[in-house]
Amino acid sequence: TGGMGWALGLAGELLSEDAYVRAGIEAIRYEQESFDPGTGTFAELRDHSAFDLPADAPPTTFWCYGAMGIGLSRVLASRWLPGSLAGAEVEAALAATRAHGFGRSQCLCHGDFGNLELLLQAAALRNDPGLRAEATGLAHASAARQEWACGTVSGVQVPGLMTGLAGIGYGMLRAAGPDRVPAVIALEPPSRPE
């Protein structure tokens, strides 16, 4: 919901349509109802039995579903999203992503290099070199693995961008030069050559 809300708000900005921005805010407000500021967690709305996950599985921290995507939507929508709850959600998403978002797959959709985007975007928004350095360190740790871990069932290596080797390579480029390599999963346009 957060991703759809952010996309609606972005469309509203690009098209000068306040109704889209308002719809984006309402979508994010709807999702905020599932956030518990006391525990810093987001409600897990999926049926874990459908995914063969234990009921006490760690929080989901992916771009496609979970804390990382929620946090990223809040960072990207920060220029038009009112209220202070979004800041608490970003902090909770950063904590969950740090704790549970690395070491499985390396893909953009639900792996290390996608999860790095939350840190990179938050670092840029806050002008925080420490957060950017943390993202770089996590990228180095992921790149040092013995094999590339695509985000496919059984870890089968595929060439694709979102779950495959192209995305892993792109993620390394993005981590090495976030000021030069646009964030595909944040719909950033190509940067202009200097």
Side-chain angles (χ1 to χ4, degrees):
T1 305
M4 289 184 283
W6 163 72
L8 280 166
L10 179 62
E13 287 180 339
L14 295 172
L15 300 170
S16 298
E17 288 285 345
D18 289 341
Y20 290 175
V21 175
R22 286 192 306 273
I25 291 168
E26 289 306 311
I28 289 173
R29 282 187 179 148
Y30 167 77
E31 185 176 63
Q32 286 177 326
E33 293 174 11
S34 71
F35 178 65
D36 181 350
T39 62
T41 58
F42 303 92
E44 179 69 60
L45 304 176
R46 293 189 301 179
D47 176 6
H48 279 219
S49 65
F51 297 95
D52 225 10
L53 297 171
D56 63 344
T60 306
T61 53
F62 305 142
W63 170 80
C64 59
Y65 187 91
M68 182 284 188
I70 293 169
L72 183 61
S73 73
R74 302 315 191 259
V75 169
L76 296 173
S78 63
R79 64 185 170 269
W80 47 263
L81 188 61
S84 60
L85 184 57
E89 291 174 304
V90 170
E91 290 308 315
L94 283 165
T97 301
R98 285 175 175 125
H100 306 289
F102 297 95
R104 289 175 276 191
S105 158
Q106 292 169 295
C107 75
L108 293 180
C109 184
H110 45 270
D112 295 356
F113 289 106
N115 286 342
L116 282 176
E117 196 58 47
L118 174 59
L119 281 73
L120 292 172
Q121 292 289 336
L125 178 68
R126 298 172 179 176
N127 194 23
D128 184 339
L131 194 52
R132 183 168 171 177
E134 180 183 356
T136 301
L138 288 164
H140 282 281
S142 185
R145 291 173 69 159
Q146 294 288 326
E147 275 187 32
W148 306 124
C150 292
T152 57
V153 176
S154 307
V156 174
Q157 291 186 346
V158 296
L161 180 67
M162 292 308 291
T163 60
L165 297 170
I168 294 169
Y170 158 81
M172 289 184 198
L173 290 172
R174 173 87 179 122
D179 297 330
R180 295 186 311 267
V181 178
V184 170
I185 62 176
L187 303 179
E188 286 182 353
S191 56
R192 296 181 184 265
E194 295 177 20

